[in-house]
Amino acid sequence: MSTTQTQVSRPAPPARSGRAAAVGWILTIGLNVVAPIITYNQLHDHGWSEFGALLISSAWPVLDSAISVAWRRKLDEFAIVTLVFIVITAVVSLVGAHSARALLIKDSCVTGLFGLLCLATLLAPRPLMFYFGRKFATDGTPESTAWWNGLWQYEGFRRTLTVMTTVWGVGYLVEAAVRVALTYVLDTDTMVTISPIMIYTVLGLLALWTARYGKRSQAEGERRAAEAAAAAQAAAA
């Protein structure tokens, strides 16, 4: 098949199941974000150690993975990554001093490790954003998953996800470095307030950029496909 034919025949996404998508989003956010945070805070407030609270809160992503295996017959990469970083956070919390400043630095190291993970996956068969994109761009049904996996054959799709993964990796490395530097410049009380604000601000900015860049890349791909189709028609005339 020629390049022109491949570009023109790029499949459209299948119809999504609104119910399946809603259930998937609720389970993902609830079990990977909300439940671990609430569990950790409640246990820590009631006298549990940081390590113990993190260890117990890691049970929620495990439950999400179990549900994914039972429901979709596959292990969910999003839950795996969440679980890995809960474990990393628990390990990092045990290393070195346990002063307030040290804990703030360790918190920054975790987001820095996420940035390194993003960049490391550029050497893997698929970059990290391929799996994150599949999690949030499909409803988890076999049809939509197969559609997303099939898009990898297109050079423009591969380039888009590679760029996204690179930007997220560099973005979180810079965020971690800035937070570590501020920890030594500002007092602890100020950093306790600024640190979470920085985390969610960077996350929001990266998510916004990702959505816009994805739409722009999709529009560019559609434009090129239309030009290729027009050129093919002109050549056949």
Side-chain angles (χ1 to χ4, degrees), residues 12-26:
R16 297 182 65 180
S17 168
R19 181 175 178 275
V23 171
W25 273 89
I26 291 172

Side-chain angles (χ1 to χ4, degrees), residues 4-183:
T4 299
Q5 290 173 319
T6 301
Q7 290 293 336
V8 174
S9 62
R10 178 169 172 167
R16 297 182 65 180
S17 168
R19 181 175 178 275
V23 171
W25 273 89
I26 291 172
L27 285 176
T28 296
I29 301 301
L31 295 178
N32 289 279
V33 180
V34 178
I37 291 175
I38 292 176
T39 301
Y40 172 80
N41 289 333
Q42 287 296 314
L43 292 176
H44 196 258
D45 290 345
H46 285 79
W48 283 63
S49 67
E50 186 179 53
F51 176 77
L54 284 168
L55 188 62
I56 297 299
S57 65
S58 67
W60 293 108
V62 173
L63 176 60
D64 185 37
S65 297
I67 292 174
S68 179
V69 171
W71 182 18
R72 298 171 180 168
R73 304 301 180 185
K74 68 182 184 68
L75 192 60
D76 186 88
E77 295 86 357
F78 185 87
I80 293 174
V81 172
T82 301
L83 177 59
V84 166
F85 272 89
I86 287 177
V87 173
I88 289 175
T89 303
V91 172
V92 170
S93 69
L94 296 178
V95 178
H98 290 76
S99 66
R101 174 176 289 174
L103 290 175
L104 288 169
I105 293 174
K106 292 173 185 179
D107 189 41
S108 301
C109 289
V110 172
T111 56
L113 286 172
F114 178 76
L116 287 176
L117 176 62
C118 287
L119 298 179
T121 61
L122 295 175
L123 303 176
R126 302 283 193 277
L128 187 60
M129 287 302 143
F130 173 84
Y131 301 105
F132 276 38
R134 188 172 67 187
K135 178 68 178 180
F136 294 105
T138 72
D139 57 11
T141 59
E143 295 78 13
S144 63
T145 299
W147 163 76
W148 181 265
N149 292 342
L151 294 179
W152 187 252
Q153 66 182 294
Y154 301 105
E155 189 275 334
F157 182 77
R158 297 194 299 271
R159 182 177 62 252
T160 296
L161 290 177
T162 298
V163 171
M164 287 180 177
T165 304
T166 302
V167 171
W168 277 73
V170 173
Y172 268 109
L173 282 176
V174 172
E175 182 267 351
V178 170
R179 276 204 293 150
V180 169
L182 289 177
T183 300

